Amino acid sequence: MSLIHLQEVTKTYNTAGVPVAALKNLSLSIERQTFVSFIGPSGSGKSTLLNLIGTLDKPTGGKVLVDGVDVATLNRSDAAAFRGNTIGFVFQNFNLIPVLNVYENVEYPLLMLKHVPVKERRERILNLLDKVGMLDQKDKYPNQISGGQKQRVAVARALVTNPKIVLADEPTANLDHATAFKVISIMHEMQKTFGTTFVFSTHDPKIVGEAELIYTLEDGFIINNGRKEQNRSTR
Ligand SMILES: Nc1ncnc2c1ncn2[C@@H]1O[C@H](COP(=O)(O)OP(=O)(O)O)[C@@H](O)[C@H]1O
Ligand SMILES: [Mg+2]
């Protein structure tokens, strides 16, 4: 079975009695160990979709299955536990904790998972910081590093619990094009190294070059799902 499976998913928000259809009958499957991008303009439904896959919200209709679990069946605490074990998040605004240094920011999600022994914790953190090229910056604080460096730390933090899936909602929206491209390459490198499934969204078609599978969203619909056969064979 696919790692992520959406079946005729709809999501309608109701604000002050006015329904807004954010996702309209989406069906798709994402396999393990892939690097997937959702592109689409602002308001096309990208965050809504990533929130459903991330078990942060539930569909109005249809089914969302993540690692075989129907997200609609999870209560709040089940969903939180499920996320802690299965999903890592990278945010648009990096969301690093300002009073913690780089090392401690990456360590943070591990402190929630009580079963990881101290020595292994330290090895995992140092290994990931090395892989994202931030080992020599480990004692710096978020306000002492650049946006691109913050996002590399955030990628390491998302991976430190060994999740099956990393979700990144517009991870490059606050970065210049060259830096954005580098961050996406690092995500792709991590996907290949750890076999993690990475799903990222962007409104910038220029940065999707590394994705293996690209879904284009428009007004709550998927208007294409271009498998990049050509790029793959020429890479
Ligand atoms: N919490 C919410 N309440 C009401 N409407 C929402 C909410 N979140 C998103 N929407 C609406 O749903 C649609 C899709 O939004 P969103 O998923 O945030 O798109 P994107 O991330 O692609 O910008 C938009 O019309 C947006 O205004
Ligand atoms: Mg969004």
Side-chain angles (χ1 to χ4, degrees), residues 39-40 170 172 177 180 200-208:
I39 341 172
E170 304 221 27
T172 59
H177 183 251
F200 75 99
S201 74
T202 179
H203 60 255
D204 181 358
K206 291 196 295 293
I207 65 152
V208 299

Side-chain angles (χ1 to χ4, degrees), residues 46-47 92 169-170:
K46 303 182 297 297
S47 294
Q92 177 174 332
D169 193 5
E170 304 221 27

